[in-house]
C-alpha cells in the first residue's frame, strides 16, 4: 500500500477508495460544534471569520437537504439498528437543529470508518465537551459498548481562565476497538518512574530491580502541554495537536508497517507522526489549502532525508481540463490549489481590498543580509487583461515587494506580457542575478513544471519563514 493524501469529502473518499478491513488504526479530530466550519477559516484581525472563505466553505453541519437525505438514507438503509434507534432518540429532543445534523453526518462517516477498520484495529475519536457526550453514545451504537476501551483525558494546563466556571483544560479521546482482539503495545508507551517513585517501591536489599519496576504502564490521563508559539512544529493553527499526543496513540495501537488513517487530517500531524514511526498512512481533507500545507510540511519535516517522502495525491487536477472544471465549480478552491502549485500561503489582503485588487498569496525568500523579502501572488481563473498586470504592479510598489507573480488559467495577452516586462527587474545581492519584477505563469506551465524565479539561497528557511510571516493569521482546521 502506498501512502496517500486525498482531497475531498471523507465520506466519498471512504466509499470510493478505501477497501473493507484494510486499516489498522484510525485517529480522527472532527469539528466539535455543528455551527463551526471544519474546513478552514482564516481569522481577521478583529477575530471575526473571513468573509471570502466563509463563502468558499459552507458549514457542512447545518440542517439542510444533504443532512435530511443522509438521515433518511440511514433510517431506510442497511445500517445498524442501534444507530437508527440512537439517531431517532437524538431527534426527539435535539430536533432538526445543528447538533442533530452534526450527529447524523458523523454517524454515517463512523459507519464507513468501522467498515474499513481491520477486525484487530482501533479507533480514537478526539472531541471536547461541546459534543463528547453525544459522540460517546453514537460510538456505542456503531462499535458496541463492549468494545469501548478508554476515555482518555488530554490535560494541557494552558489556555484561558474563567471567573464564572472552572477553567477548561482538557479534551476527551474515546478509544474503541472493532472486536475483542486488538494490538496494544504498552511497553512502547511505558513511562519511566521518577527516582522518588523508585525509592518508594524499592525492592528488598540485594534484590535486582526489573524493567517492570522502572517503567509503568501509562494511565488514561495524558499530561501533554499544548504547543507554545515558538514550538518548532507549530504551523499557526490554534487547534493544532502536538506531535507527542499522536506519537503515544500511534505507538500504542499500531506496529511498524501498519496503516494509519486520519479522515479529518487538517494540518497533517497524524500523517507526519505516522511517517516518522514508519507506518503507512492515509490522510483525507476537504480543502486544497490543507492538502497543500501537508505536502509542504512533509517536505520541511523530512528535508534531510536522502529521498523525499513517497506518497500519492488523489483528487487534485492533473491537467488543464480538470483545472478548468475546478475553477468553474469552486473558484476559491481553485485559488488555493493554484497557490499550492508554487507552495504559497493564502493572504488576508484579498478580503480587505477586494478580490480583484488584493494579494491572493505570499512567498518569502531570504537575502544575503538575512532579511526576508516577500513575493506577492495574484491568481485569476477568469478572463485576464493588461489592467490585471497594472493592478499587481501597483500592489508590489505599495507593499515594497521585489517580485510579483501573476498566475492565470487562461493564456496571457501580448499586452499583458509587455506590461509585465515594463516593470523591470530585481537584482539580488545574494547571487547578483536579475529577476523579473512581475512574472506571469499559466496553470498549464505550472502543471508542466514551471516555477517562480527568485533568489534561492535558503529554500528551506524560505518555506518556514513563509508560514511565520503570513501576517499572524489563524487557521482552524
Amino acid at each position: 500500500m502506498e501512502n496517500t493524501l486525498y482531497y475531498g469529502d471523507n465520506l466519498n473518499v471512504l466509499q470510493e477508495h478505501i477497501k473493507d478491513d484494510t486499516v489498522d488504526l484510525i485517529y480522527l479530530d472532527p469539528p466539535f460544534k455543528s455551527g463551526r466550519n471544519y474546513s478552514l477559516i482564516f481569522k481577521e484581525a478583529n477575530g471575526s471569520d473571513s468573509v471570502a472563505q466563509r463563502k468558499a466553505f459552507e458549514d457542512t453541519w447545518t440542517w439542510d437537504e444533504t443532512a435530511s437525505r443522509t438521515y433518511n438514507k440511514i433510517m431506510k438503509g442497511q445500517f445498524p439498528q442501534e444507530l437508527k434507534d440512537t439517531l431517532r432518540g437524538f431527534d426527539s429532543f435535539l430536533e432538526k437543529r445543528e447538533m442533530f445534523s452534526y450527529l447524523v453526518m458523523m454517524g454515517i462517516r463512523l459507519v464507513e470508518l468501522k467498515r474499513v477498520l481491520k477486525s484487530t484495529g482501533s479507533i480514537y475519536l478526539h472531541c471536547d465537551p461541546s459534543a463528547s457526550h453525544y459522540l460517546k453514545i453514537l460510538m456505542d451504537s456503531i462499535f458496541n459498548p463492549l468494545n469501548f476501551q478508554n476515555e482518555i483525558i488530554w490535560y494541557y494546563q494552558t489556555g484561558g481562565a474563567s471567573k464564572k466556571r472552572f477553567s477548561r483544560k482538557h479534551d476527551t479521546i474515546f478509544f474503541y476497538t472493532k472486536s475483542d482482539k486488538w494490538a496494544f503495545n504498552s511497553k512502547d508507551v511505558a513511562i519511566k518512574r521518577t527516582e522518588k517513585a523508585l525509592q518508594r517501591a524499592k525492592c528488598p536489599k540485594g534484590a535486582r530491580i526489573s524493567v517492570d519496576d522502572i517503567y509503568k504502564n501509562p494511565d488514561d490521563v495524558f499530561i501533554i502541554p499544548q504547543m507554545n508559539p515558538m514550538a518548532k512544529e507549530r504551523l499557526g493553527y490554534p487547534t493544532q495537536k502536538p506531535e507527542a499526543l499522536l506519537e503515544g496513540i500511534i505507538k500504542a495501537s499500531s506496529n511498524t508497517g501498519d496503516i494509519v488513517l486520519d479522515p479529518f487530517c487538517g494540518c497533517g500531524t497524524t500523517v507526519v507522526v505516522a511517517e516518522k514511526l514508519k507506518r503507512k498512512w492515509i490522510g483525507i481533507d476537504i480543502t486544497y489549502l490543507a492538502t497543500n500545507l501537508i505536502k509542504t510540511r512533509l517536505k520541511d519535516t523530512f528535508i534531510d532525508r536522502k529521498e523525499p517522502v513517497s506518497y500519492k495525491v488523489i483528487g487534485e487536477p492533473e491537467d488543464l481540463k480538470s483545472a478548468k472544471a475546478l475553477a468553474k465549480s469552486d473558484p476559491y478552491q481553485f485559488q488555493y490549489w493554484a497557490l499550492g502549485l508554487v507552495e504559497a500561503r493564502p493572504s488576508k489582503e484579498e478580503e480587505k481590498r477586494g478580490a480583484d485588487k488584493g494579494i491572493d498569496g505570499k512567498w518569502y525568500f531570504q537575502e544575503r543580509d538575512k532579511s526576508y523579502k516577500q513575493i506577492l501572488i495574484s491568481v485569476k481563473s477568469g478572463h485576464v487583461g493588461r489592467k490585471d498586470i497594472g493592478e499587481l504592479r501597483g500592489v508590489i510598489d505599495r507593499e515594497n515587494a521585489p517580485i510579483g507573480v501573476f498566475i492565470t488559467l487562461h493564456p496571457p495577452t501580448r499586452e499583458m506580457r509587455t506590461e509585465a516586462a515594463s516593470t523591470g527587474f530585481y537584482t539580488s545581492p545574494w547571487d547578483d542575478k536579475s529577476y523579473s519584477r512581475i512574472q506571469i505563469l499559466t496553470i498549464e506551465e505550472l502543471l508542466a513544471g514551471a516555477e517562480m524565479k527568485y533568489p534561492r539561497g535558503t529554500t528551506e528557511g524560505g518555506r518556514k519563514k513563509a508560514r511565520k510571516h503570513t501576517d499572524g493569521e489563524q487557521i482552524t482546521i
Side-chain angles (χ1 to χ4, degrees):
M1 177 257 171
E2 186 176 359
N3 297 328
T4 309
L5 183 60
Y6 289 94
Y7 161 76
D9 185 315
N10 52 29
L11 180 61
N12 296 333
V13 172
L14 288 166
Q15 292 173 338
E16 297 173 10
H17 296 281
I18 314 298
K19 296 180 180 179
D20 296 3
D21 307 308
T22 54
V23 175
D24 298 282
L25 170 63
I26 297 171
Y27 168 85
L28 65 156
D29 181 15
F32 301 143
K33 295 181 181 179
S34 59
R36 173 176 152 194
N37 189 329
Y38 79 87
S39 303
L40 170 80
I41 296 178
F42 278 85
K43 298 291 186 180
E44 298 287 11
N46 63 4
S48 63
D49 292 348
S50 155
V51 176
Q53 291 193 44
R54 195 183 309 121
K55 292 178 181 177
F57 306 113
E58 295 296 331
D59 189 356
T60 301
W61 311 116
T62 55
W63 187 261
D64 55 12
E65 182 180 353
T66 300
S68 180
R69 287 182 179 276
T70 301
Y71 182 50
N72 290 334
K73 180 178 181 179
I74 293 173
M75 291 297 122
K76 297 178 180 179
Q78 298 297 314
F79 289 85
Q81 187 61 44
E82 294 84 355
L83 173 61
K84 296 179 181 181
D85 293 341
T86 298
L87 290 178
R88 191 176 291 112
F90 285 150
D91 188 21
S92 67
F93 69 96
L94 290 175
E95 299 179 341
K96 302 297 192 294
R97 294 194 292 263
E98 291 178 341
M99 181 58 76
F100 182 61
S101 172
Y102 171 75
L103 295 169
V104 169
M105 302 300 274
M106 282 300 300
I108 195 169
R109 285 164 171 78
L110 288 169
V111 168
E112 287 298 321
L113 291 173
K114 182 182 179 182
R115 176 185 62 80
V116 305
L117 194 63
K118 290 181 180 178
S119 61
T120 55
S122 302
I123 180 169
Y124 289 76
L125 172 59
H126 192 138
C127 51
D128 79 355
S130 60
S132 59
H133 47 306
Y134 298 122
L135 289 170
K136 173 65 168 63
I137 297 172
L138 197 62
M139 290 288 284
D140 280 347
S141 72
I142 296 170
F143 284 89
N144 191 327
L146 296 177
N147 291 327
F148 168 68
Q149 305 303 334
N150 282 110
E151 178 180 358
I152 298 167
I153 300 300
W154 173 34
Y155 175 63
Y156 38 72
Q157 292 184 312
T158 54
S162 173
K163 295 182 179 180
K164 295 183 178 181
R165 63 179 67 89
F166 297 106
S167 299
R168 295 170 178 166
K169 302 291 184 181
H170 81 278
D171 284 358
T172 299
I173 304 172
F174 294 123
F175 168 27
Y176 282 76
T177 57
K178 191 170 179 177
S179 70
D180 59 355
K181 295 180 181 179
W182 66 94
F184 191 78
N185 306 312
S186 58
K187 291 184 178 180
D188 290 346
V189 289
I191 301 172
K192 189 173 184 178
R193 296 176 186 267
T194 64
E195 291 296 329
K196 289 184 178 180
L198 284 172
Q199 289 296 324
R200 288 196 297 269
K202 193 172 182 180
C203 297
K205 189 174 182 179
R208 298 182 64 182
I209 298 177
S210 69
V211 172
D212 291 336
D213 293 321
I214 299 175
Y215 291 91
K216 64 175 182 177
N217 194 47
D219 56 35
D220 59 4
V221 178
F222 292 4
I223 304 176
I224 300 174
Q226 290 182 329
M227 291 169 292
N228 66 67
M230 301 305 294
K232 184 178 180 181
E233 66 186 84
R234 191 169 184 86
L235 298 176
Y237 303 88
T239 59
Q240 181 182 350
K241 304 305 183 290
E243 291 185 9
L245 180 67
L246 272 300
E247 182 178 332
I249 291 171
I250 293 174
K251 280 184 175 181
S253 292
S254 69
N255 298 298
T256 300
D258 281 355
I259 299 175
V260 179
L261 164 66
D262 187 339
F264 296 88
C265 64
C267 60
T269 301
T270 304
V271 165
V272 168
V273 176
E275 180 67 28
K276 286 183 177 180
L277 296 176
K278 299 181 180 179
R279 273 64 166 172
K280 298 295 184 181
W281 51 262
I282 300 170
I284 309 171
D285 202 272
I286 200 170
T287 72
Y288 279 117
L289 180 53
T291 54
N292 288 336
L293 291 174
I294 293 169
K295 288 187 285 186
T296 301
R297 184 176 183 181
L298 286 168
K299 184 182 292 186
D300 289 346
T301 303
F302 303 101
I303 196 168
D304 294 329
R305 281 190 180 179
K306 292 183 179 179
E307 298 292 333
V309 177
S310 175
Y311 64 97
K312 59 183 177 181
V313 182
I314 295 178
E316 291 188 331
E318 298 180 350
D319 52 32
L320 187 59
K321 182 179 179 180
S322 55
K324 289 180 177 179
L326 174 62
K328 184 177 180 180
S329 64
D330 194 329
Y332 290 102
Q333 289 290 355
F334 170 81
Q335 176 180 299
Y336 300 137
W337 169 74
L339 290 172
L341 294 177
V342 293
E343 297 186 356
R345 288 283 296 271
S347 171
K348 297 182 298 182
E349 276 81 349
E350 59 167 316
E351 291 139 39
K352 296 178 181 178
R353 296 172 183 151
D356 292 330
K357 298 182 180 180
I359 305 165
D360 295 322
K362 292 183 179 180
W363 176 252
Y364 291 81
F365 63 90
Q366 190 177 29
E367 274 294 6
R368 185 181 293 275
D369 62 359
K370 305 298 183 182
S371 65
Y372 283 87
K373 307 294 184 181
Q374 60 181 347
I375 298 175
L376 304 183
I377 302 167
S378 177
V379 178
K380 300 294 181 185
S381 59
H383 295 295
V384 291
R386 182 174 181 175
K387 68 178 182 61
D388 296 303
I389 303 300
E391 288 172 356
L392 179 57
R393 181 176 187 172
V395 168
I396 65 173
D397 287 342
R398 181 180 66 239
E399 301 295 326
N400 195 30
I403 296 173
V405 174
F406 188 84
I407 298 176
T408 173
L409 179 61
H410 300 285
T413 65
R414 180 182 301 177
E415 290 77 11
M416 290 172 65
R417 293 199 180 278
T418 299
E419 180 71 18
S422 69
T423 60
F425 299 89
Y426 167 73
T427 301
S428 168
W430 188 282
D431 54 16
D432 292 325
K433 293 182 179 179
S434 294
Y435 301 87
S436 297
R437 287 200 69 212
I438 290 186
Q439 302 170 22
I440 301 176
L441 290 171
T442 67
I443 293 296
E444 189 171 21
E445 290 169 340
L446 289 170
L447 289 172
E451 298 179 328
M452 300 186 297
K453 296 180 180 179
Y454 60 90
R456 296 177 181 266
T458 55
T459 304
E460 175 189 1
R463 281 199 299 271
K464 293 180 178 179
K465 282 293 182 179
R467 293 201 296 265
K468 294 181 180 179
H469 277 71
T470 315
D471 301 327
E473 70 267 37
Q474 293 185 340
I475 310 171
T476 58
I477 287 187

